[in-house]
Amino acid sequence: MDLAKKWCEGEVIDGAPAFRHAVNVAATIEEHHPEASEDLIAAVILHDAPYFAPADIDLDALLAERLSPDVLRIVRAIEREHEALSKGEAPNLPIDEPDTIIASAADKLVSIDSITARANLSSNQAEYWAQRRPFLNRVPYFLAFAAQAEPHLPPELARKLTVVVRRAADVTEQHRIAACRS
C-alpha cells in the first residue's frame, strides 16, 4: 500500500486519483474472489507501477524482493495486456495464469464502469464520447476480452464484467459509428 500510495500520488485514472482506482480493483477482487491470494491483491494494488514508479528504480527487483516473484509476474502480465489493448491487438489471455485474468477483468470492470457512469452524468454525451476516442476504439477489445475471460473467472465477476462491457458497447455504439465517419 505504501508503494502504491507514493507512486500514484498526483496520478489520475478514469478521472479519479490513481490510488483510488487501484484500491477499487482490489476491492472488486475481494468481493468476487474472497480466496484471492495476498500476492494477487498486492499485484492489483501495484498494477500500474510500470507507469508510475520512478524510472530510476529496478521495478522488477523491487517487486520480486520486497513482495514476491508472483506479484512481479502478475504486474508485468497486466502491463503486457494493457500494451496489447493500446495497440489494438486481439486479447491473448494467459490461460495458465488465472490470477492475471482475474486481475485484468477486475481492472476493466472498474474502469469501464467508471467511464460509463461519468458519461451518464454528462450533459453532452456526444462531446463526452468525442473526447474519449481511445475508449471508443477499445470497445471491441473489451467485448472480446469479456467473452474469452468468462470461463476463467468467478461466476459473479464474469457476469458483472459482461454486463458492464455490453452496456459500454450499447451506449457508445452511435458515437463509435460517428467517430468512424469522421
Side-chain angles (χ1 to χ4, degrees):
M1 292 291 275
D2 291 338
L3 287 174
K5 278 183 184 178
K6 184 166 62 171
W7 293 343
C8 289
E9 190 173 325
E11 302 290 347
V12 175
I13 295 177
D14 304 328
F19 183 70
R20 183 182 318 156
H21 167 79
V23 171
N24 287 342
V25 174
T28 298
I29 290 176
E30 291 267 337
E31 177 184 351
H32 300 293
H33 187 51
E35 64 276 7
S37 69
E38 290 180 6
D39 286 342
L40 175 55
I41 299 303
V44 297
I45 289 172
L46 290 164
H47 76 273
D48 288 311
Y51 312 108
F52 301 149
D56 63 344
I57 66 165
D58 182 344
L59 182 62
D60 290 358
L62 187 144
L63 293 178
E65 293 167 10
R66 185 162 171 190
L67 297 163
S68 80
D70 283 340
V71 170
L72 170 61
R73 178 184 51 77
I74 296 166
V75 167
R76 289 302 187 186
I78 294 169
E79 178 188 24
R80 285 189 300 277
E81 200 266 330
H82 282 177
E83 289 171 359
L85 169 63
S86 294
K87 292 176 184 175
E89 297 173 0
N92 184 15
L93 277 60
I95 303 304
D96 58 334
E97 295 186 32
D99 281 352
T100 299
I101 297 171
I102 291 168
S104 291
D107 184 31
K108 283 171 189 47
L109 174 61
V110 168
S111 291
I112 295 167
D113 195 41
S114 172
I115 290 167
T116 56
R118 282 197 327 277
N120 289 335
L121 298 174
S122 174
S123 61
N124 186 333
Q125 295 278 310
E127 183 179 313
Y128 179 88
W129 289 116
Q131 295 173 6
R132 285 154 186 85
R133 217 173 212 173
F135 181 88
L136 297 177
N137 294 336
R138 293 174 178 156
V139 169
Y141 181 98
F142 298 146
L143 289 163
F145 178 93
Q148 287 181 26
E150 182 179 13
H152 307 284
L153 297 173
E156 188 60 15
L157 178 58
R159 187 192 71 73
K160 283 188 175 180
L161 178 63
T162 299
V163 166
V164 166
V165 168
R166 286 186 182 153
R167 182 174 47 229
D170 291 345
V171 301
T172 62
E173 183 175 24
Q174 70 182 1
H175 305 287
R176 287 183 285 130
I177 292 168
C180 289
R181 290 183 185 149
S182 60

